Amino acid sequence: AQSVTQPDIHITVSEGASLELRCNYSYGATPYLFWYVQSPGQGLQLLLKYFSGDTLVQGIKGFEAEFKRSQSSFNLRKPSVHWSDAAEYFCAVGALSNYQLIWGAGTKLIIKP
Amino acid sequence: ETGVTQSPTHLIKTRGQQVTLRCSSQSGHNTVSWYQQALGQGPQFIFQYYREEENGRGNFPPRFSGLQFPNYSSELNVNALELDDSALYLCASSQGGPPNTGELFFGEGSRLTVL
C-alpha cells in the first residue's frame, strides 16, 4: 500500500539549533517527493520537491532535503532554525502524471527561545 | 497575481444537510485539486479537475462531487453530511495538467463543522 510516515508528531528545537524532520514512504512507482509547510492562518506552501537528479534538494527558507532510495526516506533539514519556522510540516509523495498526492500526518515544529 | 481563494472560511452544518464550497484558482492555472484535512492529520486527496473534467478521484464516496467552470474556478459539493465530514477542505491549483511538474498552490481552506 502507498503511504507516507512521519514518525514524529511534535519536535521541539531551540532557536539557532539544527533541525531534521523524518519522512519515510512506501510507493510502488518512481516517487516524486515534496515537503510542504502549514502555518496558522496560511495555506500550505511548498518548501521543496524532488523529481529526479541530484538527491540533495535545496528549497526555500534555507531548507534542504535528501532523497535516499535505499532507505525510502526524504528527510528535511535546516542548519539553524528561526522562531518563524514554528509550523506544521508535511511530507507528500505522488506520481508525475498527476497531483494525487499521498500525505504524511505532519510534524509540528515548536521553537524554544 | 491573485492567489487561491476559498469560501466560506468557516461554516457549521447539521447531519444530513448539503454543503457547497467554492474555490477560485490562481490566475493562469487550469487544474484544481480538492483535499480533506481532518484534525491532526495530513490532507487526503478527494478529486482533481482539469479543463472542466474530473481527472482523478481518491477514496471518497459519490456524495462528494465537484465541478470546474470555464474560468477554472471550482466547487466541492458534499451531500448527506456525516459527523466525520468535519474537516478543513483545501483547494489547490496548478498549471498545465498532467504530467505535473509544477507547484500546487493552496488556499487557506474552508473549515466545515458538522453537528
Side-chain angles (χ1 to χ4, degrees), chain A residues 84-96:
Chain A
S84 60
D85 293 325
E88 190 146 24
Y89 292 79
F90 291 92
C91 179
V93 63
L96 188 60

Side-chain angles (χ1 to χ4, degrees), chain A residues 38 41 49 51 96-97 99-100, chain B residues 35 37 45 98 100-102 108:
Chain A
Q38 189 174 41
K49 61 188 178 186
F51 286 153
L96 188 60
S97 60
Y99 263 130
Q100 298 174 25
Chain B
Y35 288 84
Q37 186 178 16
F45 175 74
N100 282 297
T101 58
E108 292 183 34

Side-chain angles (χ1 to χ4, degrees), chain B residues 8 29 31 52 75 100-101:
Chain B
H29 287 185
T31 302
E52 302 178 58
E75 284 183 356
N100 282 297
T101 58

Side-chain angles (χ1 to χ4, degrees), chain A residues 45-63:
Chain A
Q45 182 183 23
L46 179 68
L47 285 175
L48 46 80
K49 61 188 178 186
Y50 172 77
F51 286 153
S52 64
D54 192 344
T55 56
L56 185 62
V57 180
Q58 302 298 320
I60 63 171
K61 305 185 180 186
F63 285 93

Side-chain angles (χ1 to χ4, degrees), chain A residues 3 12 15 21 32 41 43 46-47 49 57 60-61 63 68 70 76 81 85 88-89 92 95-96 104-105 107 109-110:
Chain A
S3 64
T12 301
E15 191 169 14
L21 302 182
Y32 296 94
L46 179 68
L47 285 175
K49 61 188 178 186
V57 180
I60 63 171
K61 305 185 180 186
F63 285 93
K68 293 184 177 180
S70 61
L76 181 71
V81 298
D85 293 325
E88 190 146 24
Y89 292 79
L96 188 60
T107 297
L109 176 62
I110 300 163

